[in-house]
Amino acid sequence: MKVLLATEKPFAKVAVDDIRNVIESAGYELILLEKYTDKAQLLEAVKDVNAIIIRSDIIDKEVLDAAKELKIVVRAGAGYDNVDLEAATEHGVCVMNTPGQNSNAVAELVFGMFVYAVRNFFNGTSGTELKGKKLGIHAYGNVGRNVARIARGFEMEVYAYDAFCPKEVMEADGIKVVGSAKELYEVCPLVSLHLPATAETKGSINYDLLKDMPKGAVLVNTARKEVINEDELIKLMDERNDFKYITDIMPAAHRKFVELFPTRYFSTPKKMGAQTSEANINAGIAAAEQIVGFFKEGCEKFRVNK
Ligand code: 3PG
């Protein structure tokens, strides 16, 4: 059995060693394609493999067409908007993710970003503290839950809105649950986004939603760039010079944001929320074990396509 680890943004070496250990202990072969720069390299590498472990790497119809022996793709991470699920189903390929394995890493980065924002990008001027402030968590999944846990250490007042998570689950974590996204943004000056990129959420963070955020607003995005309506965010930041946007996913209009809002906008050069050894190890081992379980026991837990 051949397993390809295809990561344009590589895992830490220690995680790759752990993945190799799981794969080889099962009697399988691990093939590495790291830091590739061209889709052609991926198309060549997938030709005769039975399984692929990826991160945000794009698995589209062309890749699936080229991978004649492929049975399973595991996205070592949470979001699987980079995989064409329909095409995978048509090709008889099982797609899985590894939910929760990198959530703490992303949640810790959220606080690095909030502190950076409220301390004025570390420019030496007097900023504010997080203690006692209202934090809004938009979508209460694995990362949202970890953000709530860490926020308690900062003694923040934590609010959340999630269209799918039962109110009781959030309340059991001591969260103040609001009835709509609109209400969350009206109440909280600090909001952390944790929405997946879906047909419903794309462009949903728009002018109307953001315009009533309290003074000194900070929006932190460690989710996906697609959920933001960038033109409307620019319009809003133009009108409100108290509004800051900090993101781990560089917007399409990055240059415009830098030019217009140099002291109120920051983007990491490359998504780094899940870039810790711990998250790499957790997600990498989980992905490798899920592949072994799939082939040896027919286990399809964490399957995300039909
Ligand atoms: C995820 O969906 O798990 C995160 O966005 C991390 O993505 P990455 O593996 O590309 O860093």
Side-chain angles (χ1 to χ4, degrees), residues 40 51 135 149 180 198 203 226-227 234:
L135 168 69
R149 172 180 55 78
S180 68
T198 64
E226 290 81 2
V227 301
I234 288 171

Side-chain angles (χ1 to χ4, degrees), residues 9 55-56 75-79 102 106 222-224 271 274-275:
K9 181 176 62 186
R55 299 187 63 179
S56 290
R75 193 285 189 240
N102 58 19
V106 179
T222 55
R224 289 292 180 271
K271 186 167 60 151
Q275 268 310 46

